[in-house]
Amino acid sequence: MACDKSVERGARAGCRIALTGESEDPVEKQTFLWSSSLGAKERTGYAWGGIATESAKVTATASNGWSASADIEVTARQWNSTGIKLDTEEKYTGEPRKQNITRVGFYRLKGSATPARNISEGTGPWDDRFYIKNPPDIQGELRVAADYDPDANKQPVYPLKGTLCNLILEDTKITSANYRDVNTKCGSLNAYKGVRLKIIGHEKEHAAGYQQCLNSNLTKQVFKDLEKLTGTHQHVRYQVSNKNGTWGIYWTRLQAAGQWASDVNYSAPFYRFTTTWIYESFSGGGHSANVPC
């Protein structure tokens, strides 16, 4: 019996039986009971293999009483977490306002972050054993309210009610306007532009907290732990889906690392819309103290 000596996790491996020399009982006339030290069994022909999840001993027993065993070593894949670099280029959308009428931006993690989506089953000697097929895909995105989009044509417009300057109120040709038009006509364009930069800087501080955690030794270790995670479906799913499992504990720490950002304080007033137009300086957005990953 010849078996693969060593393969990476997730690769195909197995054993094959062949005659060596003369025999009164050719392999073709035998039936074989195959078994794995991991619990899988199968009655089949002269070969048995499948997707390997972890090291195993494979045994073949022929109907004439002949038996042989061999070990197949399963080695770790090289999952490198150090290449994860979060995107910090701002994109302007309606999402911040939809989430909260006073919210002007956010930074969030995205992608197929949860490894639960990548649980795969071994086959053959590794039947009913599970592993994580691919490393977690962690991405990020910076969103700023469309009110601050440098392209004024993409900014939403709001009805002209509330605190507005006379140049806007006296213009009978318009009934609604966007942030840029109002602040341009009312002389507060520079303050409006300055706040946009403050918002972006604030969200980049959140991103920096996430990035610090992603660059840490903790993340490297978690990727190693997930790569070698194998077992029953229940065990693997617990480790990647339960808040007390390997991934749940890590994800909580990663999220905490990105919570901190300094206050956005801008003393020069400008015009912005809540339920009506208001004219005031902008402040707020401070978050909890930095929690290193």
Side-chain angles (χ1 to χ4, degrees):
M1 184 173 74
C3 299
D4 294 299
K5 293 185 180 301
S6 179
V7 295
E8 273 196 349
R9 200 178 330 279
R12 291 195 66 87
C15 299
R16 183 182 182 88
I17 296 171
L19 288 177
T20 57
E22 297 182 359
S23 173
E24 294 181 358
D25 298 306
V27 171
E28 290 79 3
K29 294 183 179 180
Q30 299 296 320
T31 58
F32 295 90
L33 174 62
W34 293 88
S35 62
S36 163
S37 58
L38 299 173
K41 292 183 179 181
E42 187 171 349
R43 190 175 295 278
T44 185
Y46 59 87
W48 194 39
I51 301 299
T53 63
E54 62 219 274
S55 297
K57 180 184 290 291
V58 176
T59 300
T61 302
S63 55
N64 65 2
W66 173 90
S67 181
S69 298
D71 292 319
I72 300 178
E73 179 187 19
V74 175
T75 61
R77 298 157 291 178
Q78 298 304 308
W79 281 4
N80 184 8
S81 65
T82 58
I84 300 174
K85 185 169 177 57
L86 296 176
D87 182 12
T88 56
E89 181 180 356
E90 70 275 9
K91 292 179 176 61
Y92 299 87
T93 71
E95 291 175 277
R97 261 190 103 84
K98 289 177 182 177
Q99 293 188 31
N100 187 318
I101 201 167
T102 62
R103 196 170 185 185
V104 293
F106 58 79
Y107 193 92
R108 68 183 173 195
L109 298 177
K110 59 169 287 189
S112 56
T114 172
R117 300 178 186 178
N118 283 314
I119 296 177
S120 291
E121 185 177 5
T123 56
W126 298 274
D127 187 39
D128 207 28
R129 300 292 290 181
F130 294 80
Y131 72 110
I132 306 301
K133 187 173 184 179
N134 299 303
D137 177 23
I138 305 174
Q139 303 171 33
E141 57 185 14
L142 195 164
R143 294 289 183 258
V144 179
D147 298 310
Y148 298 88
D149 195 325
D151 185 350
N153 293 323
K154 296 180 180 178
Q155 292 184 6
V157 296
Y158 303 102
L160 299 180
K161 60 179 182 179
T163 303
L164 291 162
C165 67
N166 289 334
L167 281 177
I168 291 290
L169 294 174
E170 292 171 357
D171 189 345
T172 58
K173 296 180 182 179
I174 60 172
T175 58
S176 60
N178 60 32
Y179 274 31
R180 178 172 284 273
D181 288 345
V182 169
N183 285 286
T184 297
K185 290 183 178 181
C186 293
S188 50
L189 183 62
N190 287 338
Y192 160 72
K193 288 182 176 180
V195 169
R196 178 178 69 86
L197 296 178
K198 289 285 188 179
I199 294 168
I200 294 170
H202 174 91
E203 302 307 338
K204 285 186 175 181
E205 288 179 334
H206 283 303
Y210 291 129
Q211 190 67 63
Q212 169 271 323
C213 186
L214 290 172
N215 294 343
S216 70
N217 288 329
L218 172 65
T219 300
K220 293 178 185 178
Q221 186 60 52
V222 167
F223 268 59
K224 289 181 180 178
D225 291 343
L226 289 174
E227 190 286 325
K228 66 183 181 183
L229 176 61
T230 61
T232 64
H233 188 270
Q234 181 181 9
H235 171 69
V236 173
R237 186 163 187 82
Y238 175 87
Q239 292 300 328
V240 297
S241 299
N242 191 283
K243 65 179 181 180
N244 295 317
T246 299
W247 183 254
I249 293 171
Y250 169 72
W251 189 252
T252 298
R253 294 180 67 173
L254 175 60
Q255 292 283 9
Q259 288 305 302
W260 176 84
S262 57
D263 287 339
V264 177
N265 290 317
Y266 203 83
S267 58
F270 70 104
Y271 291 87
R272 67 181 190 275
F273 190 87
T274 54
T275 54
T276 62
W277 287 93
I278 59 174
Y279 179 67
E280 62 184 20
S281 58
F282 187 94
S283 63
H287 300 293
S288 57
N290 195 14
V291 181
C293 186

